[in-house]
mmCIF file with all atom_site columns, all heavy atoms in Angstrom:
data_model
loop_
_atom_site.group_PDB
_atom_site.id
_atom_site.type_symbol
_atom_site.label_atom_id
_atom_site.label_alt_id
_atom_site.label_comp_id
_atom_site.label_asym_id
_atom_site.label_entity_id
_atom_site.label_seq_id
_atom_site.pdbx_PDB_ins_code
_atom_site.Cartn_x
_atom_site.Cartn_y
_atom_site.Cartn_z
_atom_site.occupancy
_atom_site.B_iso_or_equiv
_atom_site.pdbx_formal_charge
_atom_site.auth_seq_id
_atom_site.auth_comp_id
_atom_site.auth_asym_id
_atom_site.auth_atom_id
_atom_site.pdbx_PDB_model_num
ATOM 1   N N   . GLN B 1 38 ? 118.671 -0.533 17.459 1.00 0.00 ? 38 GLN B N   1
ATOM 2   C CA  . GLN B 1 38 ? 118.431 0.202  16.207 1.00 0.00 ? 38 GLN B CA  1
ATOM 3   C C   . GLN B 1 38 ? 116.949 0.513  16.014 1.00 0.00 ? 38 GLN B C   1
ATOM 4   O O   . GLN B 1 38 ? 116.582 1.631  15.679 1.00 0.00 ? 38 GLN B O   1
ATOM 5   C CB  . GLN B 1 38 ? 118.959 -0.619 15.026 1.00 0.00 ? 38 GLN B CB  1
ATOM 6   C CG  . GLN B 1 38 ? 119.107 0.198  13.759 1.00 0.00 ? 38 GLN B CG  1
ATOM 7   C CD  . GLN B 1 38 ? 119.356 -0.692 12.562 1.00 0.00 ? 38 GLN B CD  1
ATOM 8   O OE1 . GLN B 1 38 ? 119.971 -1.747 12.684 1.00 0.00 ? 38 GLN B OE1 1
ATOM 9   N NE2 . GLN B 1 38 ? 118.873 -0.265 11.402 1.00 0.00 ? 38 GLN B NE2 1
ATOM 10  N N   . ILE B 1 39 ? 116.111 -0.482 16.246 1.00 0.00 ? 39 ILE B N   1
ATOM 11  C CA  . ILE B 1 39 ? 114.669 -0.263 16.089 1.00 0.00 ? 39 ILE B CA  1
ATOM 12  C C   . ILE B 1 39 ? 114.191 0.764  17.098 1.00 0.00 ? 39 ILE B C   1
ATOM 13  O O   . ILE B 1 39 ? 113.422 1.676  16.784 1.00 0.00 ? 39 ILE B O   1
ATOM 14  C CB  . ILE B 1 39 ? 113.892 -1.594 16.252 1.00 0.00 ? 39 ILE B CB  1
ATOM 15  C CG1 . ILE B 1 39 ? 114.271 -2.559 15.129 1.00 0.00 ? 39 ILE B CG1 1
ATOM 16  C CG2 . ILE B 1 39 ? 112.390 -1.347 16.239 1.00 0.00 ? 39 ILE B CG2 1
ATOM 17  C CD1 . ILE B 1 39 ? 113.666 -3.941 15.279 1.00 0.00 ? 39 ILE B CD1 1
ATOM 18  N N   . SER B 1 40 ? 114.690 0.615  18.323 1.00 0.00 ? 40 SER B N   1
ATOM 19  C CA  . SER B 1 40 ? 114.321 1.542  19.383 1.00 0.00 ? 40 SER B CA  1
ATOM 20  C C   . SER B 1 40 ? 114.666 2.983  19.000 1.00 0.00 ? 40 SER B C   1
ATOM 21  O O   . SER B 1 40 ? 113.849 3.894  19.139 1.00 0.00 ? 40 SER B O   1
ATOM 22  C CB  . SER B 1 40 ? 115.045 1.114  20.662 1.00 0.00 ? 40 SER B CB  1
ATOM 23  O OG  . SER B 1 40 ? 115.084 2.149  21.577 1.00 0.00 ? 40 SER B OG  1
ATOM 24  N N   . ALA B 1 41 ? 115.866 3.181  18.465 1.00 0.00 ? 41 ALA B N   1
ATOM 25  C CA  . ALA B 1 41 ? 116.284 4.533  18.070 1.00 0.00 ? 41 ALA B CA  1
ATOM 26  C C   . ALA B 1 41 ? 115.512 5.012  16.844 1.00 0.00 ? 41 ALA B C   1
ATOM 27  O O   . ALA B 1 41 ? 115.063 6.152  16.790 1.00 0.00 ? 41 ALA B O   1
ATOM 28  C CB  . ALA B 1 41 ? 117.791 4.558  17.805 1.00 0.00 ? 41 ALA B CB  1
ATOM 29  N N   . ASP B 1 42 ? 115.326 4.107  15.869 1.00 0.00 ? 42 ASP B N   1
ATOM 30  C CA  . ASP B 1 42 ? 114.620 4.487  14.639 1.00 0.00 ? 42 ASP B CA  1
ATOM 31  C C   . ASP B 1 42 ? 113.200 4.955  14.923 1.00 0.00 ? 42 ASP B C   1
ATOM 32  O O   . ASP B 1 42 ? 112.713 5.899  14.304 1.00 0.00 ? 42 ASP B O   1
ATOM 33  C CB  . ASP B 1 42 ? 114.537 3.294  13.676 1.00 0.00 ? 42 ASP B CB  1
ATOM 34  C CG  . ASP B 1 42 ? 115.835 3.073  12.925 1.00 0.00 ? 42 ASP B CG  1
ATOM 35  O OD1 . ASP B 1 42 ? 116.730 3.926  13.048 1.00 0.00 ? 42 ASP B OD1 1
ATOM 36  O OD2 . ASP B 1 42 ? 115.945 2.047  12.233 1.00 0.00 ? 42 ASP B OD2 1
ATOM 37  N N   . LEU B 1 43 ? 112.543 4.266  15.845 1.00 0.00 ? 43 LEU B N   1
ATOM 38  C CA  . LEU B 1 43 ? 111.130 4.553  16.080 1.00 0.00 ? 43 LEU B CA  1
ATOM 39  C C   . LEU B 1 43 ? 110.888 5.363  17.350 1.00 0.00 ? 43 LEU B C   1
ATOM 40  O O   . LEU B 1 43 ? 109.743 5.644  17.684 1.00 0.00 ? 43 LEU B O   1
ATOM 41  C CB  . LEU B 1 43 ? 110.331 3.240  16.163 1.00 0.00 ? 43 LEU B CB  1
ATOM 42  C CG  . LEU B 1 43 ? 110.418 2.294  14.971 1.00 0.00 ? 43 LEU B CG  1
ATOM 43  C CD1 . LEU B 1 43 ? 109.672 1.015  15.268 1.00 0.00 ? 43 LEU B CD1 1
ATOM 44  C CD2 . LEU B 1 43 ? 109.841 2.954  13.718 1.00 0.00 ? 43 LEU B CD2 1
ATOM 45  N N   . SER B 1 44 ? 111.949 5.706  18.064 1.00 0.00 ? 44 SER B N   1
ATOM 46  C CA  . SER B 1 44 ? 111.822 6.375  19.369 1.00 0.00 ? 44 SER B CA  1
ATOM 47  C C   . SER B 1 44 ? 110.908 5.596  20.297 1.00 0.00 ? 44 SER B C   1
ATOM 48  O O   . SER B 1 44 ? 109.968 6.125  20.876 1.00 0.00 ? 44 SER B O   1
ATOM 49  C CB  . SER B 1 44 ? 111.281 7.806  19.234 1.00 0.00 ? 44 SER B CB  1
ATOM 50  O OG  . SER B 1 44 ? 112.223 8.622  18.658 1.00 0.00 ? 44 SER B OG  1
ATOM 51  N N   . VAL B 1 45 ? 111.220 4.327  20.414 1.00 0.00 ? 45 VAL B N   1
ATOM 52  C CA  . VAL B 1 45 ? 110.395 3.440  21.214 1.00 0.00 ? 45 VAL B CA  1
ATOM 53  C C   . VAL B 1 45 ? 111.258 2.820  22.310 1.00 0.00 ? 45 VAL B C   1
ATOM 54  O O   . VAL B 1 45 ? 112.441 2.563  22.099 1.00 0.00 ? 45 VAL B O   1
ATOM 55  C CB  . VAL B 1 45 ? 109.782 2.341  20.316 1.00 0.00 ? 45 VAL B CB  1
ATOM 56  C CG1 . VAL B 1 45 ? 109.342 1.143  21.108 1.00 0.00 ? 45 VAL B CG1 1
ATOM 57  C CG2 . VAL B 1 45 ? 108.631 2.905  19.507 1.00 0.00 ? 45 VAL B CG2 1
ATOM 58  N N   . ASN B 1 46 ? 110.666 2.601  23.455 1.00 0.00 ? 46 ASN B N   1
ATOM 59  C CA  . ASN B 1 46 ? 111.398 1.998  24.561 1.00 0.00 ? 46 ASN B CA  1
ATOM 60  C C   . ASN B 1 46 ? 111.978 0.635  24.152 1.00 0.00 ? 46 ASN B C   1
ATOM 61  O O   . ASN B 1 46 ? 111.275 -0.168 23.552 1.00 0.00 ? 46 ASN B O   1
ATOM 62  C CB  . ASN B 1 46 ? 110.452 1.829  25.748 1.00 0.00 ? 46 ASN B CB  1
ATOM 63  C CG  . ASN B 1 46 ? 111.193 1.466  27.007 1.00 0.00 ? 46 ASN B CG  1
ATOM 64  O OD1 . ASN B 1 46 ? 111.609 0.343  27.186 1.00 0.00 ? 46 ASN B OD1 1
ATOM 65  N ND2 . ASN B 1 46 ? 111.379 2.435  27.868 1.00 0.00 ? 46 ASN B ND2 1
ATOM 66  N N   . PRO B 1 47 ? 113.263 0.373  24.497 1.00 0.00 ? 47 PRO B N   1
ATOM 67  C CA  . PRO B 1 47 ? 113.872 -0.905 24.117 1.00 0.00 ? 47 PRO B CA  1
ATOM 68  C C   . PRO B 1 47 ? 113.094 -2.116 24.640 1.00 0.00 ? 47 PRO B C   1
ATOM 69  O O   . PRO B 1 47 ? 113.032 -3.147 23.969 1.00 0.00 ? 47 PRO B O   1
ATOM 70  C CB  . PRO B 1 47 ? 115.253 -0.843 24.769 1.00 0.00 ? 47 PRO B CB  1
ATOM 71  C CG  . PRO B 1 47 ? 115.529 0.605  24.998 1.00 0.00 ? 47 PRO B CG  1
ATOM 72  C CD  . PRO B 1 47 ? 114.211 1.285  25.165 1.00 0.00 ? 47 PRO B CD  1
ATOM 73  N N   . LEU B 1 48 ? 112.479 -1.978 25.805 1.00 0.00 ? 48 LEU B N   1
ATOM 74  C CA  . LEU B 1 48 ? 111.710 -3.104 26.359 1.00 0.00 ? 48 LEU B CA  1
ATOM 75  C C   . LEU B 1 48 ? 110.519 -3.468 25.466 1.00 0.00 ? 48 LEU B C   1
ATOM 76  O O   . LEU B 1 48 ? 110.149 -4.629 25.330 1.00 0.00 ? 48 LEU B O   1
ATOM 77  C CB  . LEU B 1 48 ? 111.194 -2.775 27.765 1.00 0.00 ? 48 LEU B CB  1
ATOM 78  C CG  . LEU B 1 48 ? 112.251 -2.519 28.840 1.00 0.00 ? 48 LEU B CG  1
ATOM 79  C CD1 . LEU B 1 48 ? 111.607 -1.984 30.105 1.00 0.00 ? 48 LEU B CD1 1
ATOM 80  C CD2 . LEU B 1 48 ? 113.028 -3.791 29.126 1.00 0.00 ? 48 LEU B CD2 1
ATOM 81  N N   . THR B 1 49 ? 109.932 -2.442 24.850 1.00 0.00 ? 49 THR B N   1
ATOM 82  C CA  . THR B 1 49 ? 108.802 -2.659 23.945 1.00 0.00 ? 49 THR B CA  1
ATOM 83  C C   . THR B 1 49 ? 109.257 -3.455 22.725 1.00 0.00 ? 49 THR B C   1
ATOM 84  O O   . THR B 1 49 ? 108.567 -4.364 22.256 1.00 0.00 ? 49 THR B O   1
ATOM 85  C CB  . THR B 1 49 ? 108.219 -1.312 23.492 1.00 0.00 ? 49 THR B CB  1
ATOM 86  O OG1 . THR B 1 49 ? 108.014 -0.494 24.633 1.00 0.00 ? 49 THR B OG1 1
ATOM 87  C CG2 . THR B 1 49 ? 106.911 -1.490 22.752 1.00 0.00 ? 49 THR B CG2 1
ATOM 88  N N   . VAL B 1 50 ? 110.437 -3.092 22.210 1.00 0.00 ? 50 VAL B N   1
ATOM 89  C CA  . VAL B 1 50 ? 110.970 -3.789 21.041 1.00 0.00 ? 50 VAL B CA  1
ATOM 90  C C   . VAL B 1 50 ? 111.294 -5.236 21.410 1.00 0.00 ? 50 VAL B C   1
ATOM 91  O O   . VAL B 1 50 ? 110.979 -6.174 20.664 1.00 0.00 ? 50 VAL B O   1
ATOM 92  C CB  . VAL B 1 50 ? 112.230 -3.072 20.501 1.00 0.00 ? 50 VAL B CB  1
ATOM 93  C CG1 . VAL B 1 50 ? 112.748 -3.775 19.259 1.00 0.00 ? 50 VAL B CG1 1
ATOM 94  C CG2 . VAL B 1 50 ? 111.928 -1.610 20.204 1.00 0.00 ? 50 VAL B CG2 1
ATOM 95  N N   . THR B 1 51 ? 111.890 -5.401 22.590 1.00 0.00 ? 51 THR B N   1
ATOM 96  C CA  . THR B 1 51 ? 112.221 -6.744 23.065 1.00 0.00 ? 51 THR B CA  1
ATOM 97  C C   . THR B 1 51 ? 110.961 -7.601 23.143 1.00 0.00 ? 51 THR B C   1
ATOM 98  O O   . THR B 1 51 ? 110.961 -8.771 22.757 1.00 0.00 ? 51 THR B O   1
ATOM 99  C CB  . THR B 1 51 ? 112.884 -6.667 24.456 1.00 0.00 ? 51 THR B CB  1
ATOM 100 O OG1 . THR B 1 51 ? 114.037 -5.827 24.340 1.00 0.00 ? 51 THR B OG1 1
ATOM 101 C CG2 . THR B 1 51 ? 113.301 -8.032 24.951 1.00 0.00 ? 51 THR B CG2 1
ATOM 102 N N   . LYS B 1 52 ? 109.894 -6.992 23.603 1.00 0.00 ? 52 LYS B N   1
ATOM 103 C CA  . LYS B 1 52 ? 108.631 -7.726 23.730 1.00 0.00 ? 52 LYS B CA  1
ATOM 104 C C   . LYS B 1 52 ? 108.122 -8.185 22.353 1.00 0.00 ? 52 LYS B C   1
ATOM 105 O O   . LYS B 1 52 ? 107.611 -9.297 22.220 1.00 0.00 ? 52 LYS B O   1
ATOM 106 C CB  . LYS B 1 52 ? 107.605 -6.811 24.396 1.00 0.00 ? 52 LYS B CB  1
ATOM 107 C CG  . LYS B 1 52 ? 106.506 -7.552 25.079 1.00 0.00 ? 52 LYS B CG  1
ATOM 108 C CD  . LYS B 1 52 ? 105.655 -6.624 25.911 1.00 0.00 ? 52 LYS B CD  1
ATOM 109 C CE  . LYS B 1 52 ? 104.306 -7.256 26.155 1.00 0.00 ? 52 LYS B CE  1
ATOM 110 N NZ  . LYS B 1 52 ? 103.335 -6.340 26.737 1.00 0.00 ? 52 LYS B NZ  1
#
Side-chain angles (χ1 to χ4, degrees):
Chain B
Q38 196 192 328
I39 296 174
S40 161
D42 281 352
L43 303 175
S44 290
V45 160
N46 191 284
L48 297 171
T49 311
V50 182
T51 303
K52 204 170 159 191

